[in-house]
Amino acid sequence: MTDSIGSFTVGLDFGTDSVRAVVVRVEDGEEISHGVSDYRRWAEQKYCDPARQMFRHHPADYLESMTEAIRKAIAAGNGIGQRIVGIGVDTTGSSPIPVSGAGAALALDPEFSDDPDAMCILWKDHTSVAEAEEINTLCRSGRFEDYTKYVGGIYSSEWFWAKILRVGRVNRKVFEAASSWVELCDWIPAVLTGVGNAADVVRGRCAAGHKALWHPDFGGLPPCEWMTALDPCLGNLATPMFSQTLTSDQPAGRLTADWSEALGLPAGIPVAVGAFDCHIGAVGAGIEPYSLVRVMGTSTCDILVAPPQKVGDIVVEGICGQVPDSVLPGFTGFEAGQSSFGDVFAWFDRVLRWGREDLKAGALLPPLEEAAKALPPGGLGERALDWLNGRRTPDANQKVRSILSGLHLGSSAPSIYRALVESTAFGSRAIADRFVEQGIPVERVVAIGGIARKSPFITQVCADVMNREIEIIESDQCCARGAAIFAATAAGEYRDVLEAKAAMHSPVERVYKPDPEAAAVYDKLYADYVRLGAFANDLAAS
């Protein structure tokens, strides 16, 4: 490490509801200050239609909230802005944005400022289910190589190409105006570094490999012939859209003078290549080989890394991808997750608050947890699936729906809530089991995110259902901290990201141990979850 006493980096974490900026000391990873800014338009639920599973972010929300969050963090850090040596970026994903030839988001043009299809298509948007199915059909047709091989064998409507194709079919004006499409995690660094040509946007290995079908074994992206076979409209896009990808320990460019003035940071500092929040957060949590790091938020993302020489020819089916260097350079990165986790509990809270304008969102959850905790495993016989937003893994299927079963006149709000909590834990177990069944060990389970730290009940149920210890990481801002770790590496403060991670990651705060009696009960109840899931699959297919 260079002489970094007094040096700091900024980690930017673009979440679903807000941006978080954290100032981190390079020497030891101490979080000096932070700022949070909610997206104004998103808070008003503009450009969204939950009934259609349409969720869009206006790009102006990102720029405005990023500026506010960084300025708050710098102000809280007592004037340390000029000692910042780098910026790291993580975002939700897959969240692609249509851009002009100059690389500007189309929605920032007055002509498209109120068109949802010109905005960032958020990760949880499921309007492209049919398009994802067509991608899967083409990949299995034998006409081309199966480009879904390294994304679990199933392409999801949550991902890059399905969303682009959907816009191409429903909004030709936007589609034809778009010179290219850029993941949010790539767009933010491009904005901060003044990229003026869409072709020059640096594409991160993480987003490209896990969502856009990029892989070195394919020589990059699927070819033009595959694109036009999927739909001739894709011939409107320059193909390949990109070829080179970079890991997040590399600089995407340097902060422009204009953004330096707007943010109160030194001009010319490096901005690291962006990546997805869960991958970056796993590094902030100090991920090691065969640790399953779970980001427990509105959804979950589960990240694991393994040495490529030990992975060998193993290709794990039904996950969100395995990509070389996507999490840590030198390791194969694996991603899985649940399409809804905290969203399951938020939905139940909304149902119970219907017509009660005097109650704030989430007001009922603490008393529900206390009452549910007093019930035995399995509650009063209620069972549920966690698929309120479809299923991400194992085996992506956004057409499946949740089911509540076992209801009776004695069922109560706490017993139903407990069933919902148990369903999310069963979904978590299914993911860990899939890795193990396919030959990738899970030696530790590590959890980060608001739910992991704030809900002992939910985390304990997960430990019991998975019959594994769950280590809780201390930091509330693990994703932003991970971004700051990559920023320090891109700035040359450490020789590599492994050295930076060792110095700057957040420690374990506490460990939840499974209760043997509860684990034995849940081992039997898991069979009910599997049977209920099979029934839901049959319903979705009919």
Side-chain angles (χ1 to χ4, degrees):
M1 188 180 88
T2 62
D3 182 11
S4 57
I5 302 295
S7 296
F8 305 89
T9 55
V10 171
L12 283 174
D13 174 30
F14 289 79
T16 301
D17 300 322
S18 61
V19 179
R20 302 161 190 84
V22 177
V23 176
V24 178
R25 187 162 59 202
V26 169
E27 180 185 13
D28 56 9
E30 182 179 347
E31 295 173 16
I32 303 301
S33 60
H34 73 276
V36 180
S37 176
D38 294 335
Y39 304 131
R40 179 172 58 83
R41 297 164 188 81
W42 173 258
E44 299 171 3
Q45 283 296 283
K46 286 189 173 183
Y47 317 115
C48 296
D49 185 352
R52 292 174 51 210
Q53 294 187 300
M54 185 180 85
F55 299 96
R56 310 290 165 89
H57 272 167
H58 199 295
D61 268 348
Y62 297 131
L63 303 184
E64 293 166 7
S65 290
M66 172 180 68
T67 302
E68 182 177 25
I70 290 178
R71 285 205 161 272
K72 284 181 178 179
I74 297 303
N78 296 320
I80 61 175
Q82 294 308 303
R83 292 155 72 186
I84 302 295
V85 297
I87 302 173
V89 176
D90 76 75
T91 76
T92 68
S94 178
S95 298
I97 302 173
V99 299
S100 68
L106 288 188
L108 298 179
D109 184 326
E111 183 178 1
F112 297 104
S113 61
D114 286 315
D115 191 328
D117 292 324
M119 298 175 189
C120 179
I121 305 177
L122 198 59
W123 62 271
K124 65 194 288 184
D125 187 293
H126 289 167
T127 54
S128 56
V129 170
E131 286 71 23
E133 289 184 350
E134 291 179 42
I135 291 173
N136 289 317
T137 298
L138 180 60
C139 285
R140 296 167 189 155
S141 68
R143 297 171 57 191
F144 301 92
E145 187 158 6
D146 184 357
Y147 292 105
T148 66
K149 176 181 179 181
Y150 293 109
V151 292
I154 303 173
Y155 202 77
S156 169
S157 64
E158 293 185 348
W159 298 349
F160 193 74
W161 293 114
K163 293 175 175 179
I164 294 171
L165 179 55
R166 179 66 180 174
V167 173
R169 289 176 171 173
V170 302
N171 195 325
R172 296 296 298 181
K173 183 178 179 181
V174 166
F175 191 75
E176 291 174 2
S179 175
S180 189
W181 291 72
V182 179
E183 281 282 0
L184 174 60
C185 63
D186 296 330
W187 184 70
I188 294 295
V191 169
L192 292 176
T193 59
V195 172
N197 187 323
D200 295 333
V201 173
V202 174
R203 309 287 182 148
R205 174 72 56 88
C206 174
H210 286 277
K211 311 303 178 188
L213 300 178
W214 183 97
H215 198 277
D217 283 4
F218 304 147
L221 294 172
C224 180
E225 294 78 12
W226 182 87
M227 297 288 179
T228 54
L230 183 59
D231 193 303
C233 78
L234 294 179
N236 183 66
L237 298 171
T239 51
M241 189 177 288
F242 56 89
S243 54
Q244 184 181 18
T245 65
L246 295 181
T247 52
S248 293
D249 56 336
Q250 303 296 314
R254 295 187 175 274
L255 189 68
T256 67
D258 286 346
W259 277 107
S260 165
E261 183 177 357
L263 301 176
L265 300 176
I269 60 173
V271 180
V273 173
F276 292 143
D277 45 11
C278 49
H279 299 71
I280 294 278
V283 176
I287 190 170
E288 299 289 345
Y290 304 115
S291 296
L292 187 66
V293 179
R294 314 199 67 232
V295 184
M296 296 166 60
T298 54
S299 66
T300 73
C301 281
D302 302 293
I303 303 299
L304 184 148
V305 297
Q309 63 272 22
K310 292 191 176 181
V311 174
D313 294 331
I314 295 173
V315 178
V316 181
E317 298 177 359
I319 63 171
C320 301
Q322 58 187 79
V323 180
D325 310 313
S326 64
V327 180
L328 284 174
F331 294 85
T332 301
F334 297 82
E335 178 192 345
Q338 294 161 268
S339 289
S340 54
F341 195 86
D343 273 351
V344 173
F345 317 130
W347 163 80
F348 193 51
D349 175 69
R350 287 196 304 273
V351 170
L352 296 182
R353 286 187 296 105
W354 185 87
R356 293 289 306 276
E357 295 181 0
D358 57 311
L359 293 176
K360 294 183 178 180
L364 296 177
L365 294 181
L368 270 177
E369 289 212 352
E370 284 302 310
K373 187 164 56 175
L375 296 172
L380 303 178
E382 298 84 1
R383 304 287 181 266
L385 292 175
D386 53 310
W387 301 343
L388 271 81
N389 199 26
R391 184 179 64 235
R392 182 178 295 159
T393 53
D395 307 318
N397 186 345
Q398 303 306 335
K399 294 174 67 177
V400 295
R401 295 290 179 264
S402 179
I403 292 175
L404 273 172
S405 70
L407 299 177
H408 50 87
L409 291 178
S411 294
S412 63
S415 65
I416 294 171
Y417 179 76
R418 182 168 188 119
L420 292 171
V421 170
E422 291 171 346
S423 76
T424 60
F426 288 136
S428 303
R429 171 174 168 169
I431 290 169
D433 285 356
R434 176 59 61 92
F435 278 114
V436 174
E437 291 162 0
Q438 302 270 312
I440 302 297
V442 175
E443 296 178 354
R444 295 170 61 211
V445 178
V446 178
I448 65 176
I451 291 176
R453 299 195 67 241
K454 296 176 183 177
S455 178
F457 170 62
I458 293 173
T459 308
Q460 184 62 55
V461 170
C462 284
D464 294 341
V465 167
M466 299 177 78
N467 199 17
R468 294 174 179 270
E469 292 185 356
I470 298 181
E471 301 175 20
I472 307 301
I473 299 300
E474 179 182 276
S475 176
D476 277 330
Q477 307 289 352
C478 233
C479 293
R481 181 191 282 247
I485 289 173
F486 279 104
T489 311
E493 297 290 321
Y494 289 92
R495 289 174 297 180
D496 56 40
V497 73
L498 294 178
E499 187 179 71
K501 173 175 70 74
M504 298 176 67
H505 79 273
S506 181
V508 173
E509 180 179 59
R510 64 172 297 184
V511 178
Y512 288 84
K513 298 179 181 294
D515 176 87
E517 292 183 5
V521 174
Y522 283 130
D523 199 48
K524 296 177 181 177
L525 295 183
Y526 183 63
D528 291 346
Y529 176 85
V530 173
R531 284 193 293 270
L532 201 59
F535 179 67
N537 283 330
D538 289 343
L539 284 179
S542 62

